[in-house]
Amino acid sequence: GENVEQHPSTLSVQEGDSAVIKCTYSDSASNYFPWYKQELGKGPQLIIDIRSNVGEKKDQRIAVTLNKTAKHFSLHITETQPEDSAVYFCAGAGGTSYGKLTFGQGTILTVHP
Amino acid sequence: EAQVTQNPRYLITVTGKKLTVTCSQNMNHEYMSWYRQDPGLGLRQIYYSMNVEVTDKGDVPEGYKVSRKEKRNFPLILESPSPNQTSLYFCASSLGGWEKNIQYFGAGTRLSVL
């Protein structure tokens, strides 16, 4: 089945800096890669996703890039703000594990004012 | 308001005492799923359901049961809970398969098994 590895496990940045979180996946047939943000005491919420036929997707201050050849994808947050502080999860789906969504281990992002 | 509702939010129980965590969604979604969240391990899928009476194992199904008798409900059953099932549990739903649709999560159920 699919295996998703996420790094780093913790990330601390100053307000206004950029933050990058990276994930690798094992199933070359996976075709959908969402990113979720989990705030304290809440369930994860989708913030951006990318499909395997696209190399990059941007939504205001967040962007995701996908390298199918290397089987890795990354989340980029620019001009970080304290409210960006949360746990971020990457995930992979589709391919040979239809119906299953496999998550990475999570990254605790802290943005210092 | 569109939402996924889990109950209870917090639960403390003892080893071997059967319990059920309920999950209900009001969005007429076909797909529903249960995850457990543990530090350093992320979210791991326990069971998922693609429609009424259709369920399948996720990555960590041992010790859990589910049923999908109605479209809106997807309860998680622990027949004989053990301390290693102490965790934070999330129910989620989506209109269709994960690769095509946004998945909505409940607020979570924190379970402690003594």
Side-chain angles (χ1 to χ4, degrees), chain A residues 14-26:
Chain A
Q14 289 297 129
E15 182 176 2
D17 289 349
S18 294
V20 180
I21 302 171
K22 299 182 179 181
C23 290
T24 60
Y25 61 98
S26 61

Side-chain angles (χ1 to χ4, degrees), chain A residues 11-88:
Chain A
L11 180 59
S12 183
V13 300
Q14 289 297 129
E15 182 176 2
D17 289 349
S18 294
V20 180
I21 302 171
K22 299 182 179 181
C23 290
T24 60
Y25 61 98
S26 61
D27 187 349
S28 58
S30 289
N31 55 20
Y32 175 64
F33 306 95
W35 285 89
Y36 286 82
K37 175 183 180 182
Q38 184 181 22
E39 297 177 338
L40 197 62
K42 298 183 179 180
Q45 187 170 16
L46 181 75
I47 56 171
I48 195 167
D49 57 13
I50 192 167
R51 302 182 191 281
S52 58
N53 58 346
V54 175
E56 184 174 0
K57 184 177 179 181
K58 191 173 181 180
D59 183 4
Q60 299 182 331
R61 294 187 297 107
I62 60 172
V64 56
T65 58
L66 171 65
N67 183 326
K68 286 177 58 180
T69 303
K71 290 190 286 187
H72 68 71
F73 56 111
S74 300
L75 177 71
H76 304 255
I77 306 174
T78 59
E79 301 173 21
T80 54
Q81 302 167 1
E83 51 265 40
D84 293 329
S85 296
V87 181
Y88 291 81

Side-chain angles (χ1 to χ4, degrees), chain A residues 31-32 36 38 41-46 49 51 87 89 93-94 98-106, chain B residues 9 31 35 37 40-43 45 48 50 57-59 88 90 98-103 105-107:
Chain A
N31 55 20
Y32 175 64
Y36 286 82
Q38 184 181 22
K42 298 183 179 180
Q45 187 170 16
L46 181 75
D49 57 13
R51 302 182 191 281
V87 181
F89 291 99
Y98 184 79
K100 292 178 61 178
L101 185 64
T102 301
F103 284 83
Q105 295 84 351
Chain B
R9 292 290 313 277
Y31 275 61
Y35 297 87
Q37 183 177 359
L41 297 177
L43 289 153
Q45 196 172 37
Y48 62 96
M50 290 184 278
K57 296 177 181 179
D59 294 316
L88 179 58
F90 288 101
W98 321 133
E99 65 273 19
K100 296 181 180 179
N101 300 275
I102 296 172
Q103 193 166 192
F105 283 80

